[in-house]
Amino acid sequence: MYVCLSFFFFFFKQKTAYEMLRSLVGSEMCIRDRYQRRVREQYSVVMCDTPVAPATGRRQIRIGVLAMQGAFEEHVVICQSLGAFACQVKKPDQLEDLDALILPGGESTTMAKVAERWCMVGPLQEWVRAGKPIWGTCAGLILLSQGTVSKDEYVDIASPAATSVKADGLVGGLDVMTHRNFFGSQVRSFEHKVSGPPGRGEQFNGLFIRAPAVVETSENVTVLARIEPEVLTQMGLREANMGVAVAVQQENVLGTSFHPELVAHDPRWHLHFLDMVCRYLDFGSPYILVE
């Protein structure tokens, strides 16, 4: 009898603590799930395993989405809805015959560990060295950054090297320094209007979930979207007089702090990436473009 009661109270305590944690704090997965359901409702496409060859003889652009953890399914759905062939990538040999690659949002530490376990780090680095198009969103941006800042309390944007501990990025490709958790903990996730991709409208509704921010860029990097100082000041981030970059591009490497894959009705950043791929295919390889 005593053993049964002990087990009951232990189970009740664990269940209650779990429910309290979810209700008071929430988790990155819970927040992301709400937006994932919206996207899946808005984009309805037929998934296929092989690229479709249209009657004209031209073929689809082939996009791979790294499917280790995070919101990879939404990237696949949106890319296919825009006419590209898109598939999940979990092994190095699945990179063959792809034109471009997307590293989705998720948890960067988990993604890095899985990438090492699945022997994907070397192939990803080689992909970047070869100059092939690649896009990282949120955690993907962290993986593509040349360096990262790990310090949680980042209060001096003007001199991060003096105030923060730096680390090398896992994959690289973007000559930037990215703060892994610039905007704070999970409960400080937010939505904010940012600049849309070049030539595709004024503003985009950026969804930031425990988001990183680019705090240093080299002259080789183009800043496509930025959060201005007054907005950061309203968030309580001190000495934020320079603002931070939340979308950057260096040649064929694109990085965004926010999650375009979780924003329904607005695939403009995916269209921008597909434009990048088309330019690469036209000038950098013999592949035929999708019409």
Side-chain angles (χ1 to χ4, degrees), residues 18 36 46 59 61 72 80 95 125 137 158 164 179 188 196 200 231 248 256 262:
Y18 175 72
Q36 285 174 330
V46 178
R59 69 158 177 80
I61 294 174
F72 51 85
Q80 287 211 347
L95 295 173
Q125 292 173 339
T137 63
S164 304
H179 189 291
R188 300 193 68 179
R200 293 192 176 276
V231 178
V248 293
T256 54
L262 299 182

Side-chain angles (χ1 to χ4, degrees), residues 3 8 16 33 38-39 53 65 73 86 90 93 95 102 125 167 180 185 205 221 224 236-237 246 275:
V3 174
F8 172 78
T16 303
D33 283 347
R38 292 187 197 175
V39 171
V65 183
E73 292 181 349
K90 298 182 180 180
D93 60 3
L95 295 173
I102 297 176
Q125 292 173 339
R180 301 171 65 91
S185 64
N205 189 42
V221 176
L224 302 180
L237 298 171
V246 293
D275 286 344

Side-chain angles (χ1 to χ4, degrees), residues 1-7:
M1 181 69 177
Y2 175 77
V3 174
C4 293
L5 289 174
S6 298
F7 176 79

Side-chain angles (χ1 to χ4, degrees), residues 14-31 33-34 37 186-187:
Q14 296 300 316
K15 184 174 184 297
T16 303
Y18 175 72
E19 290 177 345
M20 289 178 62
L21 180 64
R22 285 173 64 95
S23 61
L24 294 177
V25 179
S27 69
E28 186 167 352
M29 185 175 296
C30 293
I31 294 176
D33 283 347
R34 290 199 293 270
R37 286 194 293 270
Q186 187 64 40
V187 295

Side-chain angles (χ1 to χ4, degrees), residues 151-158 163-164 182 237-240:
K151 186 175 180 180
D152 290 334
E153 295 180 359
Y154 188 85
V155 298
D156 188 359
I157 295 177
T163 60
S164 304
F182 180 83
L237 298 171
R238 295 174 291 168
E239 300 186 32

